[in-house]
Amino acid sequence: MSEHHNHPPIQPTAGSVIDLAEFDPASRTGDGNRDQIEPELNANIEAMEGLASRLYAESKQALLLILQGMDTSGKDGTIRNVMRGFNPLLCRVVPFKAPNEDELAHDFLWRIHRQTPRRGQIGIFNRSHYEDVVVVRVRKWISKKECRRRYRIINDFERMLVREGTVVVKCFLHISKDEQRRRLQARIDDPQKRWKFRRDDLEDRKLWPRFQRVYSDALTACNTRHAPWHIVPADSKPQRDLIISRILRNALEEMNPQYPPHIEGIDKIVVK
Ligand code: ADP
């Protein structure tokens, strides 16, 4: 077995500087073999199902998963593969597109806050308020100063969520530029994937280095103790799914949700 294998992907610690260039998008845990990944992924999904049911019954805490990443980094695929075990009653996916006129007429957190999960539920953000410090900064729609102000607002907002009982799990799906080229080309070549292709994706791709820099800055500024970032190597899809399932299972286990106490004397009740 080569040394390269079995190396856990390096994870940033809360508060540390995140330079995406230092994280290998193809880093592997285990040997990356699908035969080994599937059983662990399935076991994690099964464990998550049970934990999520208890979270719902308990109704005291919520879990918010924030997914960010470049185009084609696999946010949709992650949701399809890793969240498949969740009962739709207790899990809600919210995608954030470019803001509409109504949303633009408010502060940038207005549309975000109203979508956070209720106690007992799991919310999944497919893109998030991080677009408001990344894509808008890449395009220079806001100044550096304004961006720093937003970082503070985001950190305060997330701290408030955590203090009020929502665990905030943030995952950046990290792909290489070359992997993005393959995935975009596949969208063009495969008639069943063509609907996903947008010309803007090519425009964003031209700005790849700037996106990576701006992302590194935002991830660093918001890599807080209460809501740290995970950098998920995402060039391999099975690998990516496995790592996210580990992160989520771990978060749910730490939340340790409990069934509420029974009504007194329930064991004596007979339904007639
Ligand atoms: P997907 O998330 O599947 O890529 P779209 O192709 O519709 O969905 O992309 C959503 C687009 O909306 C992205 O280009 C993203 O950068 C943009 N977007 C999301 N939030 C914001 C925001 N707050 N400000 C500007 N653009 C945003």
Side-chain angles (χ1 to χ4, degrees):
M1 200 186 310
S2 82
E3 240 207 21
H4 177 72
H5 293 148
N6 279 345
H7 249 258
I10 339 158
Q11 282 299 312
T13 47
S16 69
V17 171
I18 298 177
D19 176 3
L20 285 176
E22 288 173 5
F23 292 87
D24 178 7
S27 149
R28 293 187 176 282
T29 49
D31 72 359
N33 178 338
R34 209 179 245 281
D35 294 347
Q36 292 186 327
I37 288 178
E38 279 293 321
E40 192 194 330
L41 177 63
N42 288 335
N44 288 345
I45 288 173
E46 202 175 310
M48 281 154 55
E49 258 184 272
L51 287 157
S53 300
R54 274 201 273 162
L55 187 77
Y56 188 67
E58 179 196 66
S59 279
K60 287 197 174 149
Q61 327 170 61
L63 177 68
L64 172 61
L65 172 67
I66 294 178
L67 291 174
Q68 285 290 151
M70 298 292 289
D71 288 323
T72 76
S73 60
K75 299 182 287 296
D76 294 356
T78 300
I79 294 167
R80 188 169 59 241
N81 298 341
V82 184
M83 318 306 159
R84 63 177 187 236
F86 287 140
N87 179 341
L89 268 179
L90 46 90
C91 161
R92 199 162 68 93
V93 180
V94 186
F96 290 99
K97 309 279 179 186
N100 63 27
E101 194 266 339
D102 202 24
E103 291 166 343
L104 282 173
H106 292 83
D107 65 90
F108 74 98
L109 289 180
W110 181 72
R111 67 172 184 161
I112 305 290
H113 196 182
R114 57 215 295 257
Q115 302 285 7
T116 52
R118 299 171 63 102
R119 294 197 175 89
Q121 295 201 327
I122 296 174
I124 297 159
F125 282 2
N126 185 348
R127 300 185 188 272
S128 65
H129 43 289
Y130 284 94
E131 297 292 326
D132 296 285
V133 286
V134 176
V135 67
V136 297
R137 181 64 200 133
V138 165
R139 302 237 173 260
K140 301 201 169 123
W141 293 337
I142 60 169
S143 67
K144 219 173 189 160
K145 191 163 167 226
E146 177 57 23
C147 196
R148 279 198 293 266
R149 195 152 48 203
R150 286 188 174 190
Y151 292 154
R152 283 197 294 275
I153 292 171
I154 288 174
N155 288 341
D156 286 346
F157 170 63
E158 291 177 354
R159 187 184 307 110
M160 181 277 291
L161 291 179
V162 171
R163 294 224 168 127
E164 290 288 316
T166 299
V167 170
V168 180
V169 176
K170 305 190 290 197
C171 292
F172 178 81
L173 306 186
H174 190 31
I175 56 165
S176 62
K177 194 175 178 199
D178 207 43
E179 181 61 22
Q180 190 194 54
R181 183 187 55 72
R182 278 191 287 276
R183 292 184 188 181
L184 283 175
Q185 192 64 54
R187 281 187 184 176
I188 293 164
D189 296 343
D190 180 346
Q192 295 195 337
K193 287 187 180 165
R194 276 186 196 152
W195 65 274
K196 268 199 168 188
F197 182 78
R198 302 175 312 144
R199 260 183 207 286
D200 286 354
D201 292 347
L202 297 182
E203 292 307 308
D204 283 354
R205 181 168 167 77
K206 286 189 196 144
L207 297 169
W208 182 277
R210 183 159 165 77
F211 262 105
Q212 298 288 304
R213 273 199 310 278
V214 171
Y215 253 124
S216 296
D217 200 56
L219 299 181
T220 299
C222 301
N223 187 25
T224 53
R225 198 184 295 275
H226 52 270
W229 273 100
H230 298 270
I231 310 299
V232 178
D235 272 5
S236 151
K237 295 174 185 178
Q239 199 70 43
R240 167 202 78 200
D241 292 344
L242 178 65
I243 292 168
I244 304 253
S245 74
R246 280 182 188 158
I247 292 170
L248 275 183
R249 177 181 180 171
N250 193 37
L252 283 163
E253 280 174 352
E254 276 185 9
M255 291 168 84
N256 191 22
Q258 301 295 324
Y259 286 112
H262 300 151
I263 320 170
E264 192 134 0
I266 193 164
D267 49 345
K268 310 260 172 354
I269 298 176
V270 177
V271 180
K272 293 197 178 117

